[in-house]
Amino acid sequence: MSNRLTAVLFVLTCTTAPAVAQDAEPLSAINWLTQTPTVTIDIAQEPPVANEGGTPDVSVSQLGSSGRDAVGLLPGKVTGLPNSLWENSRSMDLADLVTDMPEESLPAIQALMYTLLLAEANPPKDAQGNDKLLLARIDKLMALGAIEQAYALIERANPDRADLFQRWFDVSLLIGQEQRACDMLRASARLAPNYAARVFCQARNGDWDDAVITLNSANLLNLVSEAEDQLLVRFLDPELFEGEPLLIPVTEPDPLQFRLMESIGESFPTRSLPRAYAHADLRDNIGWKTQLEAAERLARVGALPANRLFGHYLGKKPAASGTIWDRVAAIQSFETAIASEDTAKIASTLPSAWTAMKDARLEVVFAQYYSDALKDVPAKSVAGTLAREIRLLSPSYETAARQGTKDFLAGVAEGQPPRRPANPTDLAIANAFHGAGVPQVWSNRLARGQLGEVILLAMKSFQQGAAGDLPALTNALATFRAIGLEDTARQAALQVLLLERGY
C-alpha cells in the first residue's frame, strides 16, 4: 500500500487525568497524546476498488467553529479523515448509529470506532448547537470504559452546560479527580446535576455547615433518595455511624454513590457494574485477582493498553491455581522464555500462552505486544505455524504474509486473496477484494458527502457479517476498501478468519 496516512488511537498509560487543553494550544499540549500509540490504523489512499457508486471527496476543508460537535482529540492530519466527515449527515442519525455500535466487536473495528469517537471534524449542518453527536461520542467512550479519553474530550468541549457537566462530574468521580468539577460547581451552582452532587461538593470544598443545611433542606423537599441520604449522612459524619452498615443496600450505584460508598468503607465490587467502573479496581490497594479481572475486561475493548495489561500479568507470582491463575502462569512462562532469547523455549511455551489468551478473548492484544518476539520461531514447525497466525493478527501482518506459506491468509494480508475459494466465508471475503462494489444506498450517501455515516453503517454491517451474514461481510469490507480504509479491511478480514468469534 502506498501513500499512507496513519491514524493513531492513543490510549492513556497514566492514571492521572489530563490537563485542560486551551483553545490556543496545539493538540500535543495534552500530555498523554505524546505517549506511545497502542493501536494504529493505516488509512491508505489507494485507487477505489468499487465497481459502482462514487467514492468520497476527501479534500481538506477548514474546521468550523460553530457547535461543540467539532471537538475532538485527534485532528485530521492524524486520522487521515476529512473535516467534512460528519457535515452532511443528520446529527440524530449519527448519534443513533454511534449509540447502537456494540462495545465488543473485533479489534480492527474497535480501533476504527475509537478513531471516529476522538476525531476532530466539522459538526453536522443541522446540529444548531445541540451537540447530540458529541454527547453520543462521550457516552460511547464511557460505555467502553475509555474514561480518561472521555474526560479529555469533555474538557476540550468546556463543560459549562448541564448535560456536559453531568458527564464530566461522573467521569471525574470515576477517575478520582472530582476537585476541579467541584470548584466549577461552587462557581456555578446551576450546573449541579442533583442535590446529592451539591452536598458532596460542598463537603469536598470544606463547606461542611452548608453541606448539612443543603442536605436537610433537600430531605424536607424530597429532593434526595433515602439511599443518597444515608450515604451523604455517613460521608458528612463518619464517626457517628462507625461500624454500622447501610440500612438500604445500593445494588446499582451511580458514580457519586460509588464514590461515597468507597469513602465510607463500603467498597462495591465492579464486576456487575458498567465497564467504566473497572478502573477503580486497577489501583495498587486492590487485590491482585481483582486487578487482573478489571485489566482484562478493559483491554478486551481497547480501553487499556497492552503494556498495562501485561504489567498486571507479570506483577507477582500466582499463589493459587484456576483459570485466571493458569493464564498468569502461562504468560509468565512465555515471558521468561522471551527474556532468555531461547527460541526453543519460546516455541514450547507459546501454545499454552496462546490458549490462555484465546480463553480471555485477548488474542489481538497478545499479537500486538509479542509479534516481534515470534519472528524467529522456525517456520516449519507446529509452533512456527502458530507464530505466523499470531503475527497475521498484529500490525506486522504483511511481513508475516511475505515470510510464510502463500495461502488464503497471506493473500488477504497482501490484498490479493484467491478469487474462488471453496469455503463460503473465504469466498465472501475474496469477493470484497475482487470486484464487489459499494451498496447503492451507501454510494448515494457518499455522493452526498456523508462519509462518517457510511463508515458507521459499514461497521454495523461488518458486525452482522462476522455473525454469519456473508453478504453483509462482503459489503462492509468492499466499502472499507473503496473509501480508503484498506488496512482496516485487511485486518478485519484476517480477524474473522483467525479468531472465529461468531458474534
Side-chain angles (χ1 to χ4, degrees):
M1 291 180 284
S2 61
N3 190 27
R4 288 185 177 174
L5 297 175
T6 302
V8 182
L9 167 61
F10 292 89
V11 182
L12 295 178
T13 60
C14 57
T15 57
T16 57
V20 178
Q22 301 300 321
D23 292 341
E25 292 179 319
L27 190 65
S28 58
I30 302 178
N31 56 15
W32 57 263
L33 285 177
T34 63
Q35 301 286 342
T36 302
T38 60
V39 180
T40 301
I41 306 169
D42 294 327
I43 299 179
Q45 302 302 314
E46 299 188 350
V49 297
N51 286 337
E52 59 179 316
T55 56
D57 179 2
V58 293
S59 60
V60 177
S61 61
Q62 287 290 98
L63 191 64
S65 59
S66 60
R68 306 185 210 209
D69 279 337
V71 170
L73 304 180
L74 301 177
K77 65 183 179 182
V78 174
T79 66
L81 298 169
N83 291 335
S84 58
L85 182 68
W86 311 121
E87 229 173 74
N88 298 302
S89 296
R90 294 176 64 247
S91 57
M92 185 54 71
D93 291 342
L94 294 171
D96 288 344
L97 284 169
V98 169
T99 300
D100 290 343
M101 284 300 299
E103 280 81 58
E104 290 202 34
S105 55
L106 289 177
I109 302 304
Q110 286 177 337
L112 180 57
M113 177 160 56
Y114 277 112
T115 298
L116 293 176
L117 296 177
L118 298 175
E120 276 186 354
N122 288 329
K125 291 177 181 176
D126 75 338
Q128 298 179 342
N130 61 38
D131 304 326
K132 287 185 175 65
L133 177 57
L134 173 64
L135 296 176
R137 289 159 59 204
I138 293 168
D139 290 344
K140 182 58 67 174
L141 286 169
M142 292 176 68
L144 287 162
I147 56 176
E148 290 94 347
Q149 293 93 326
Y151 183 95
L153 191 62
I154 298 169
E155 286 208 325
R156 284 183 74 83
N158 187 15
D160 62 354
R161 205 176 63 193
D163 50 5
L164 281 171
F165 184 86
Q166 169 74 75
R167 290 163 171 81
W168 190 51
F169 185 67
D170 286 348
V171 175
S172 298
L173 290 164
L174 291 174
I175 63 176
Q177 297 288 332
E178 65 271 7
Q179 186 56 55
R180 293 185 57 240
C182 284
D183 289 342
M184 190 170 184
L185 193 56
R186 172 190 277 176
S188 185
R190 64 180 176 80
L191 294 174
N194 50 49
Y195 272 83
R198 186 176 296 181
V199 172
F200 172 80
C201 280
Q202 285 173 331
R204 188 76 174 75
N205 290 329
D207 302 326
W208 296 94
D209 292 341
D210 289 344
V212 171
I213 293 171
T214 302
L215 179 58
N216 288 336
S217 299
N219 268 313
L220 289 172
L221 297 171
N222 292 320
L223 296 176
V224 293
S225 68
E226 191 170 352
E228 287 173 331
D229 177 55
Q230 285 193 31
L231 286 168
L232 288 167
V233 167
R234 284 162 172 75
F235 177 66
L236 293 173
D237 196 350
E239 294 182 0
L240 186 62
F241 298 92
E242 188 173 356
E244 293 187 21
L246 286 174
L247 299 177
I248 297 179
V250 181
T251 56
E252 297 181 1
D254 61 30
L256 177 56
Q257 292 170 343
F258 182 79
R259 182 77 172 81
L260 289 169
M261 290 176 73
E262 279 195 325
S263 69
I264 65 173
E266 296 268 358
S267 57
F268 198 94
T270 69
R271 287 189 299 274
S272 61
L273 298 179
R275 196 176 285 107
Y277 292 78
H279 286 270
D281 286 339
L282 298 178
R283 295 169 297 183
D284 292 339
N285 61 335
I286 302 297
W288 188 27
K289 183 173 185 288
T290 302
Q291 288 183 39
L292 289 166
E293 291 170 343
E296 288 185 341
R297 188 182 181 195
L298 292 167
R300 197 170 292 124
V301 294
L304 189 78
N307 62 328
R308 287 188 63 187
L309 171 66
F310 288 100
H312 283 285
Y313 282 140
L314 304 173
K316 58 188 83 169
K317 291 294 181 182
S321 60
T323 302
I324 198 162
W325 300 122
D326 293 344
R327 186 152 54 246
V328 170
I331 294 300
Q332 290 188 359
S333 295
F334 182 64
E335 181 70 27
T336 300
I338 290 173
S340 71
E341 299 183 353
D342 186 325
T343 303
K345 288 183 178 179
I346 293 173
S348 66
T349 56
L350 176 61
S352 294
W354 182 243
T355 298
M357 289 293 97
K358 287 181 68 176
D359 290 343
R361 296 166 76 103
L362 290 165
E363 303 98 323
V364 173
V365 180
F366 180 88
Q368 291 167 345
Y369 194 69
Y370 284 116
S371 62
D372 286 346
L374 300 176
K375 63 181 184 296
D376 295 326
V377 177
K380 295 182 179 180
S381 66
V382 174
T385 300
L386 177 57
R388 174 182 179 259
E389 291 187 358
I390 294 171
R391 294 182 69 217
L392 285 171
L393 291 170
S394 77
S396 58
Y397 66 91
E398 288 179 280
T399 302
R402 288 192 295 268
Q403 294 174 346
T405 305
K406 299 304 177 184
D407 55 8
F408 187 79
L409 290 170
V412 172
E414 295 179 323
Q416 296 178 332
R419 286 180 176 271
R420 289 183 174 82
N423 180 284
T425 300
D426 292 358
L427 180 59
I429 291 171
N431 288 340
F433 288 84
H434 293 295
V438 178
Q440 188 61 52
V441 64
W442 296 353
S443 294
N444 294 339
R445 285 183 168 89
L446 291 174
R448 294 193 294 267
Q450 297 170 332
L451 175 60
E453 185 173 347
V454 169
I455 294 175
L456 290 168
L457 288 167
M459 291 166 67
K460 184 176 181 180
S461 179
F462 178 86
Q463 190 75 3
Q464 296 167 346
D469 185 343
L470 298 184
L473 180 62
T474 301
N475 288 339
L477 294 174
T479 300
F480 290 147
R481 301 192 73 223
I483 61 181
L485 294 168
E486 179 71 17
D487 194 58
T488 295
R490 294 187 193 183
Q491 290 199 46
L494 288 168
Q495 289 167 14
V496 167
L497 295 169
L498 291 168
L499 299 183
E500 300 177 350
R501 283 281 198 268
Y503 285 106

